[in-house]
């Protein structure tokens, strides 16, 4: 049997119709895969992009954010509104609400689900912001200019607070930690961002834990009460992998699928990509779990290449990206590339109280991560320097007037 015939008979099933799932299906076709491709999504909507939900969709500037993909023309079968219930790797079958779906290769791309605020389930006026339906429910809340309490000063909390202020709402953000973005950035880097809230007319309360939510009020653990026509919870997300219980597929400490360097799971013929999976980074010497859009865009190309490689006998491709994400908050464009935890030096470029500045993290003179606020050129050049592991001159690097690419050793 020829290689072409073998490939054309293979059935790839992708579970999850977000960015990672859609891009995997599209990449398979772009790279010449001729077999069957089935994309299964739990939501009934046409597959859509998530970043606009906290921006244009939320503010009514856009009706949706559906991907501009002609699935029919690409020969991709869409099965929407169909939740995955389990996997039986030995039988090469996926269990769904509508019955079993056989596969030759399975791709897990179910993303992440928001962490819920304990005790707030079922309380009127409490919202999450993860899906298109969530954004549609919140749109009229903003239009009525309610008093809004945002729980969590992470990326999603800041983006929602930005949209709510733009809509004319009164906004209080409560954060249990001592600063915004406590889980993402070191204290000295996150500290200047606290002032952004006040500049935008929002109130940021740190060291503030929610005791309970009552209709129209949020009660903090110090007894204070905040009026709340609506409460938006943004306290993180966890991999959406509960449905894999009993499958034998190995999960990590955060309940994510433990993928290898080729984005393969512990089960044969099962790959994992996007927010639901971690992977070992040779570049950073540790396993990374990256909950950002760019990872869901880049990883699928490696998965598609490795599915085709397995069928043709070609060597598999390693996935070892420089992580990247961006956020728009309080009139600022914030970008981050790399992974800073192993840095041995931190350098600032510009005044963090000003409108544009960057932070560079170095390990043995090599740039390993960079945060840029209103300095997109720093980010673009820095990302390439991180990828190339180029030695830098710290003295030149600290000069904000000098382009990063001209600060090499």
């Amino acid at each position: 049997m020829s290689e072409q015939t073998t490939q054309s008979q293979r059935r790839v099933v992708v579970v999850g119709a977000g960015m990672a799932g859609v891009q995997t299906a599209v990449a398979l076709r772009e790279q010449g895969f001729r077999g069957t491709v089935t994309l299964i999504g739990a939501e009934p909507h046409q597959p859509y992009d998530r970043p606009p939900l906290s921006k244009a969709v939320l503010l009514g500037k856009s009706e949706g954010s559906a991907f501009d993909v002609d699935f029919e023309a690409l020969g991709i079968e869409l099965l929407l509104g169909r939740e995955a219930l389990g996997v039986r790797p030995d039988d090469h079958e996926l269990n769904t609400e509508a019955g079993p779906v056989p596969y030759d290769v399975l791709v897990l791309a179910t993303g992440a689900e928001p962490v819920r605020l304990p005790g707030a389930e079922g309380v009127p006026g409490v919202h999450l912001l993860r899906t298109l339906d969530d954004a549609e429910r919140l749109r009229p809340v903003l239009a009525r200019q309610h008093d809004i309490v945002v729980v969590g000063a992470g990326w999603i909390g800041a983006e929602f607070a930005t949209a709510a202020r733009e809509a004319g709402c009164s906004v209080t953000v409560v954060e249990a930690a001592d600063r915004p973005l406590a889980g993402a950035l070191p204290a000295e880097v996150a500290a200047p961002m606290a002032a952004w809230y006040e500049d935008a007319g929002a109130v940021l309360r740190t060291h503030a834990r929610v005791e309970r939510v009552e209709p129209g009020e949020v009660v903090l653990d110090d007894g204070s009460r905040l009026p709340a026509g609506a409460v938006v919870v943004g306290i993180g997300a966890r991999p959406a992998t509960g449905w894999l219980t009993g499958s034998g597929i190995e999960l990590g400490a955060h309940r994510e699928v433990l993928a290898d360097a080729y984005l393969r799971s512990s089960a044969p013929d099962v790959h994992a990509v996007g927010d639901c999976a971690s992977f070992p980074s040779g570049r950073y010497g540790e396993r990374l779990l990256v909950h950002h859009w760019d990872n869901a865009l880049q990883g699928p190309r490696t998965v598609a290449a490795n599915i085709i490689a397995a069928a043709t006998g070609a060597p598999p491709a390693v996935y070892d990206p420089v992580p990247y994400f961006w956020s728009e908050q309080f009139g600022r464009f914030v970008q981050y590339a790399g992974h800073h935890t192993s840095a041995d030096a931190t350098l600032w470029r510009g005044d963090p109280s000003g409108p544009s500045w960057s932070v560079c993290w170095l390990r043995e003179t090599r740039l390993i991560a960079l945060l840029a606020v209103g300095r997109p050129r720093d980010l673009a050049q820095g990302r390439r320097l991180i990828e190339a592991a180029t030695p830098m001159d710290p003295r030149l690097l600290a000069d904000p007037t000098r382009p990063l690419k001209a600060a090499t050793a």
Side-chain angles (χ1 to χ4, degrees):
M1 185 179 293
S2 72
E3 174 191 306
Q4 182 170 334
T5 304
T6 303
Q7 194 187 120
S8 68
Q9 292 175 344
R10 287 174 69 78
R11 300 163 299 182
V12 176
V13 174
V14 183
V15 191
M19 170 62 85
V22 167
Q23 290 299 324
T24 298
V26 170
L28 280 164
R29 292 301 189 222
E30 287 179 345
Q31 296 180 30
F33 181 77
R34 300 181 186 88
T36 301
V37 179
T38 301
L39 181 63
I40 298 178
E43 293 183 56
H45 310 290
Q46 278 291 114
Y48 60 88
D49 203 7
R50 293 190 189 278
L53 298 184
S54 60
K55 306 173 183 74
V57 175
L58 192 60
L59 290 170
K61 297 177 180 178
S62 170
E63 286 304 311
S65 56
F67 291 112
D68 184 17
V69 175
D70 190 335
F71 294 100
E72 186 176 355
L74 289 172
I76 297 169
E77 179 186 23
L78 273 183
L79 299 178
L80 302 176
R82 187 175 297 194
E83 189 173 355
L85 302 177
V87 183
R88 286 178 283 118
D90 291 344
D91 299 325
H92 278 60
E93 276 194 341
L94 171 75
N95 293 331
T96 76
E97 292 176 312
V101 177
Y103 66 84
D104 293 306
V105 180
L106 182 67
V107 181
L108 307 176
T110 46
E113 55 196 6
V115 175
R116 297 177 181 273
L117 186 65
E121 289 92 343
V123 178
V126 176
H127 299 263
L128 299 167
L129 181 52
R130 185 74 184 181
T131 68
L132 181 59
D133 289 338
D134 292 337
E136 295 291 358
R137 280 190 287 268
L138 275 165
R139 191 189 291 184
V141 173
L142 296 193
R144 289 194 293 269
Q145 299 187 333
H146 278 293
D147 288 331
I148 292 179
V149 173
V150 180
V151 183
W155 300 112
I156 194 68
E159 289 183 1
F160 179 81
T162 299
R165 285 299 300 139
E166 188 176 330
C169 300
S170 173
V171 178
T172 301
V173 180
V174 296
E175 168 58 52
D178 62 350
R179 62 188 187 275
L181 296 167
L185 296 173
E188 68 273 18
V189 177
M193 299 176 177
W196 299 356
Y197 289 78
E198 183 178 358
D199 291 347
V203 175
L204 172 64
R205 294 188 58 163
T206 55
H207 299 287
R209 293 187 176 276
V210 175
E211 181 72 30
R212 64 185 181 276
V213 179
E214 298 176 353
E217 276 191 328
V218 171
V219 182
L220 302 182
D221 61 357
D222 64 359
S224 57
R225 293 173 174 267
L226 305 176
V231 178
V232 176
V233 179
I235 54 175
R238 60 169 63 99
T241 57
W243 65 282
L244 292 173
T245 300
S247 69
I249 294 173
E250 192 176 354
L251 302 181
H254 302 283
R255 303 294 294 167
E256 84 280 13
V257 179
L258 288 175
D260 66 10
Y262 312 108
L263 297 182
R264 301 176 303 199
S265 80
S266 62
D269 303 314
V270 179
H271 300 250
V273 67
D275 291 4
C276 72
S278 64
F279 56 90
S281 171
R283 187 188 306 275
Y284 290 105
E286 62 181 282
R287 180 168 284 275
L288 300 183
L289 176 59
V290 181
H291 280 192
H292 292 297
W293 186 90
D294 191 65
N295 180 52
L297 175 67
Q298 305 293 344
R301 297 168 187 163
T302 299
V303 169
N306 288 342
I307 289 172
I308 293 170
T312 61
V318 170
Y319 186 63
D320 195 9
V322 172
Y324 166 75
F325 70 89
W326 58 274
S327 175
E328 290 179 285
Q329 48 186 273
F330 307 117
R332 293 166 175 85
F333 186 46
V334 184
Q335 296 171 284
Y336 177 98
H339 185 64
H340 65 264
T341 55
S342 63
D344 52 34
T346 304
L347 289 176
W348 293 76
R349 287 169 57 81
D351 180 359
S353 66
S356 62
W357 46 276
S358 296
V359 179
C360 299
W361 286 273
L362 301 176
R363 185 177 63 218
E364 298 174 354
T365 77
R366 285 175 167 79
L367 188 66
I368 61 168
L370 180 138
L371 175 83
V373 177
R375 291 180 68 99
R377 185 176 297 177
D378 273 9
L379 191 288
Q381 295 180 10
R383 192 175 183 182
R384 289 192 289 269
L385 292 165
I386 295 168
E387 288 171 348
T390 305
M392 307 298 294
D393 182 326
R395 181 180 57 83
L396 300 177
L397 192 63
D399 178 0
T401 65
R402 180 182 293 270
L404 274 177
K405 63 183 181 182
T408 56

